Amino acid sequence: MAAQGGMTLGNRLAIWRAGFGKAASGFVSQPEPRSIGLYARGKQLVAGNFLFAGHLVEAPGQAIWDIPAPDPAFAAEVHGFGWLDDLAAVADAPARKRAQDWTYGWIAAQDTDHGPGWTPDLTGRRLIRWINHAPFLLVGRPQADSAAYFASASRQVRYLARRWTKAQPGLPRFEALTGLIIAGLALEGMQALTRPALAALAQDCRTEVDAGGGIPTRNPEELLEVFTLLNWARLALTEAEAEVPPEIPAALDRIAPT
């Protein structure tokens, strides 16, 4: 599957450097599936019907990574792993097999300094799903797969800690920061990497969510995404018994009526 746009030298360097360091060996506490998608879409994925960014590709029996992406938006949705939500909504053996096979397939083929899907916003989006659906992805897998999962997740957290500043203001940066916070709090030994991100998220709550609860793009779908992300960040902080910056609930209170 083609990469989303070109890969800058700075981004490749950040991915490479993120590969160094001790990988988490487990979770601080058992993750919960906060993001659940649509059962019907999950059944379509199991059947080999891939609908992303308005494009339908019928490819029964093929892995998601073997499908030629019609455009960059299609590739971005695939590498963001939002489809895990839909497979988790089905949650039967065939759905779990695809979720696991496609996730470990990404780790094997894309977890490199030149693989596609390595942008701050997509990495944040992907990490949120990996943490939310960790039991779904890890159950029944051999120890080698578990180690690969934690090594890749740790690398993505370290990458985000270096590159979230390159995410565009608005929804992309909210995704990058929230992914870093959720995964950093969930994975053993990664908590210290969340502190700068938490301060940045608080700042964005002040500057990107106006007094009327709107965001600069005025896109209602994006606003709902931001609202959801901030709720997940607040839950993750509360469960980790960490202080929730007041800017986060204040932003949620402004968005809610909107």
Side-chain angles (χ1 to χ4, degrees):
M1 179 169 289
Q4 184 196 20
M7 176 76 76
T8 66
L9 179 60
N11 205 50
R12 292 187 65 172
L13 181 61
I15 299 166
W16 176 75
R17 292 177 68 185
F20 296 92
K22 185 179 179 181
S25 59
F27 296 108
V28 175
S29 60
Q30 183 77 345
E32 296 182 6
R34 302 200 188 286
S35 53
I36 297 296
L38 300 175
Y39 178 88
R41 285 196 62 172
K43 294 295 285 186
Q44 287 296 310
L45 286 166
V46 172
N49 298 317
F50 302 90
L51 177 61
F52 299 107
H55 298 279
L56 174 62
V57 177
E58 298 179 4
Q62 288 194 38
I64 199 169
W65 311 118
D66 296 335
I67 302 166
D71 61 17
F74 185 103
E77 288 198 18
V78 172
H79 284 279
F81 274 68
W83 45 265
L84 267 181
D85 293 344
D86 299 316
L87 291 175
V90 179
D92 60 11
R96 185 172 65 249
K97 176 174 172 50
R98 282 158 181 78
Q100 293 183 349
D101 288 352
W102 295 348
T103 298
Y104 293 105
W106 187 92
I107 293 172
Q110 313 297 347
D111 194 15
T112 65
D113 63 359
H114 56 274
W118 283 94
T119 63
D121 55 327
L122 290 182
T123 303
R125 192 185 311 172
R126 181 169 57 245
L127 273 176
I128 290 170
R129 270 67 191 186
W130 280 29
I131 299 299
N132 282 353
H133 303 301
F136 191 55
L137 295 174
L138 292 168
V139 65
R141 303 298 296 200
Q143 179 59 34
D145 283 350
S146 177
Y149 168 93
F150 283 109
S152 181
S154 300
R155 185 181 193 182
Q156 291 177 68
V157 169
R158 288 192 292 266
Y159 163 79
L160 272 183
R162 296 179 182 276
R163 294 294 287 183
W164 66 261
T165 58
K166 302 301 181 182
Q168 292 295 314
L171 179 58
R173 194 154 66 199
F174 278 112
E175 286 187 311
L177 292 170
T178 304
L180 173 53
I181 291 165
I182 288 175
L185 291 173
L187 295 167
E188 290 181 350
M190 297 286 162
Q191 288 71 35
L193 296 178
T194 67
R195 291 169 191 152
L198 190 55
L201 185 63
Q203 173 66 21
D204 277 8
C205 284
R206 289 193 298 268
T207 60
E208 295 296 317
V209 181
D210 63 29
I215 55 177
T217 63
R218 300 299 173 188
N219 183 318
E221 292 182 356
E222 288 189 10
L223 183 62
L224 179 58
E225 289 287 339
V226 169
F227 184 78
T228 302
L229 290 166
L230 292 178
N231 259 318
W232 286 341
R234 180 172 63 176
L235 281 169
L237 289 162
T238 301
E239 290 179 354
E241 298 183 352
E243 182 179 355
V244 179
E247 292 87 350
I248 294 176
L252 287 167
D253 287 345
R254 295 198 303 275
I255 294 172
T258 306

